[in-house]
Amino acid sequence: MTLFKWSKPIGAICAIAIILYGWIGLAQSPQPSVRLTTNPPINQVRPLEAEATTVLGSGHYNPPVQLMLQAFDAQGQSLKDAKIHLQLFTPPKNPWFTTDFPIVEGTKLLDIEGNAPTGQLQVQQTLPIRGTYQLLVAVTPLVANAFAPIQQTLTLTLPENPLKFRYFGILVVILLAVGLLGGWVIGGRQPIQPGEIAPQQVRLLLSGLIVVAIAALLLVNISAELAESHMSMPGMGEEVPSSGKPAKLQSQGLYMQLSGDKSATVGQPAKLQVSVSDPKTSQPVTDVVLKVTTTQLENNWVAFAYQGTPDSNGKLVWEQEFFDGAPHSVVVEVVPQANVSRQFQPFQVAENIPVEGVAPPMAVRLISLTYFTGIVVIGLLLGLWLRHRQTPRTGLTWKRSVS
């Protein structure tokens, strides 16, 4: 009777244990995944704004970072005949510690989907700012039900240029020294003449600090506003040079056309696409390779590059963000695949795209100015404190002379 009484609880416990064991085993079993590697290693890459300066960088623009995505099945084997959709997002906004390109913070930098016969997708992308980038990756089969789709979120952390910390420290020391000197002068024993509220040296120092602060505020804000209005007014921007190549071309039995947005704005993705077809039958062509290169024309550095095959409609569609307010050239070259019957001489189509720059928000400029002012104030208070400790307490610090 006692054994029968405990049989139900024991059975329930065993059933729960079996379910938990199976769930844990399933959770610990290998799962399909996507692996991200970069060339060069990400810890050797620096943000764009630090590359071309002789003080902070190498003095020239480095090539874009190669991002390689490889899809694996549960057994760790590379997936075959896959399609990979990549969305790359810049680091999120941080108004208290902004980057050199605050407009592109928290935006979509790239959106592209490409065929991956060997389960690998490679793109070359220039990373403009420091911080943690987010990559949303979706892998689907080219053949229906060949494998279960994969969705994975990856991260990529780009370090800041270490020289920036050094020069920021030097700037902080200079501002502290200015404030310290001012506090030392103000805190000294200085007689007050009849009708004065403060000694002459103190009044001159405070007046000078106020003038400098007002001048700095006006210079930063007015110059930024003028730059913004200059970039936004039609006809006043830099003239976009001709690419020298057509946007659509028929050659050697192929018709290729580059289309999409004709202009762009910093911080907003531009939609582009290239299509390849047979001009005789109007059927899409898929057995070719497309090489896409986006180049900034002012300084001739590559912002984005990709090589892949068209989809089943003979198209390659992507979105990319132009984060530098300068004209860009988008060039697409079509080349034949190896070991296929369709062979031809490679040819190109191109489009030059004007990019409208956007000035940093007023709040960002005011926050930066507040930081610098605060450092001077800290130095001022420190100078007053040091002067107060050194001065003997023999009455009032400032003595009004009696006529």
Side-chain angles (χ1 to χ4, degrees):
M1 189 70 177
T2 304
L3 181 62
F4 178 77
K5 179 180 179 181
W6 290 97
S7 61
K8 289 185 178 180
I10 293 174
I13 293 174
C14 291
I16 293 174
I18 293 173
I19 293 174
L20 289 176
Y21 180 79
W23 180 79
I24 294 174
L26 180 63
Q28 293 179 347
S29 61
Q31 299 292 323
S33 61
V34 180
R35 184 182 304 166
L36 169 66
T37 56
T38 66
N39 185 27
I42 195 61
N43 59 358
Q44 299 179 11
V45 181
R46 295 294 177 263
L48 171 70
E49 71 269 18
E51 288 183 347
T53 59
T54 56
V55 177
L56 294 176
S58 59
H60 63 276
Y61 290 96
N62 295 323
V65 183
Q66 187 176 49
L67 306 178
M68 293 169 284
L69 297 170
Q70 181 67 59
F72 296 94
D73 59 18
Q75 288 72 40
Q77 301 296 321
S78 298
L79 288 174
K80 305 297 183 182
D81 298 326
K83 179 183 293 185
I84 298 180
H85 182 197
L86 168 64
Q87 298 180 76
L88 176 62
F89 295 88
T90 59
K93 290 182 178 295
N94 187 345
W96 307 112
F97 300 100
T98 183
T99 63
D100 286 357
F101 293 107
I103 297 300
V104 306
E105 296 173 2
T107 59
K108 183 189 291 186
L109 188 61
L110 178 65
D111 189 334
I112 189 170
E113 184 177 61
N115 295 337
T118 61
Q120 185 178 89
L121 178 75
Q122 294 187 20
V123 299
Q124 297 181 55
Q125 177 66 56
T126 294
L127 304 178
I129 58 177
R130 69 173 186 273
T132 300
Y133 292 77
Q134 189 178 62
L135 297 88
L136 303 183
V137 184
V139 184
T140 54
L142 288 174
V143 180
N145 302 321
F147 58 84
I150 304 172
Q151 291 189 350
Q152 191 169 341
T153 300
L154 305 171
T155 57
L156 187 70
T157 301
L158 181 65
E160 182 58 282
N161 182 9
L163 289 177
K164 278 197 169 184
F165 296 108
R166 178 189 303 178
Y167 288 107
F168 178 74
I170 294 174
L171 178 60
V172 169
V173 170
I174 294 174
L175 294 177
L176 280 174
V178 171
L180 183 64
L181 178 61
W184 184 269
V185 173
I186 293 175
R189 289 187 176 185
Q190 299 171 9
I192 302 178
Q193 301 299 326
E196 295 179 343
I197 61 174
Q200 183 180 5
Q201 294 88 337
V202 175
R203 288 185 285 111
L204 291 175
L205 177 63
L206 293 177
S207 300
L209 290 176
I210 292 173
V211 170
V212 170
I214 294 175
L217 180 63
L218 292 176
L219 178 63
V220 170
N221 291 285
I222 292 177
S223 61
E225 294 300 327
L226 289 177
E228 183 175 13
S229 62
H230 173 78
M231 290 181 293
S232 60
M233 292 182 64
M236 294 188 64
E238 181 179 356
E239 182 179 354
V240 180
S242 173
S243 65
K245 301 181 180 66
K248 52 185 178 182
L249 181 63
Q250 178 176 332
S251 175
Q252 305 171 73
L254 293 175
Y255 176 75
M256 183 167 61
Q257 180 178 5
L258 175 62
S259 59
D261 293 339
K262 302 300 182 182
S263 62
T265 302
V266 171
Q268 301 178 11
K271 297 181 180 180
L272 299 165
Q273 76 169 26
V274 60
S275 59
V276 186
S277 61
D278 188 326
K280 295 181 179 179
T281 62
S282 299
Q283 295 298 310
V285 174
T286 60
D287 57 347
V288 294
V289 176
L290 299 175
K291 297 181 179 180
V292 182
T293 305
T294 300
T295 305
Q296 196 258 31
L297 295 178
E298 278 190 357
N299 305 108
N300 198 35
W301 49 267
V302 176
F304 167 72
Y306 171 75
Q307 178 176 321
T309 58
D311 60 15
S312 58
N313 297 318
K315 296 181 179 181
L316 174 65
V317 182
W318 76 98
E319 294 182 11
Q320 66 176 106
E321 179 183 336
F322 299 91
F323 47 82
D324 189 20
H328 287 65
S329 173
V330 180
V331 178
V332 182
E333 182 180 22
V334 58
V335 300
Q337 290 186 7
N339 302 322
V340 297
S341 58
R342 188 191 304 273
Q343 296 295 316
F344 55 90
Q345 291 295 322
F347 61 93
Q348 297 178 342
V349 293
E351 185 78 47
N352 285 1
I353 299 178
V355 180
E356 180 183 355
V358 180
M362 178 71 71
V364 172
R365 288 173 261 156
L366 291 178
I367 289 174
S368 301
L369 183 61
T370 301
Y371 285 155
F372 295 143
T373 305
I375 294 172
V376 175
V377 171
I378 291 174
L380 184 67
L381 296 176
L382 182 60
L384 287 172
W385 179 74
L386 292 175
R387 187 72 173 199
H388 178 71
R389 290 195 57 179
Q390 186 189 44
T391 303
R393 297 186 178 181
T394 58
L396 295 176
T397 303
W398 291 345
K399 296 181 179 181
R400 181 180 299 273
S401 60
V402 180
S403 58

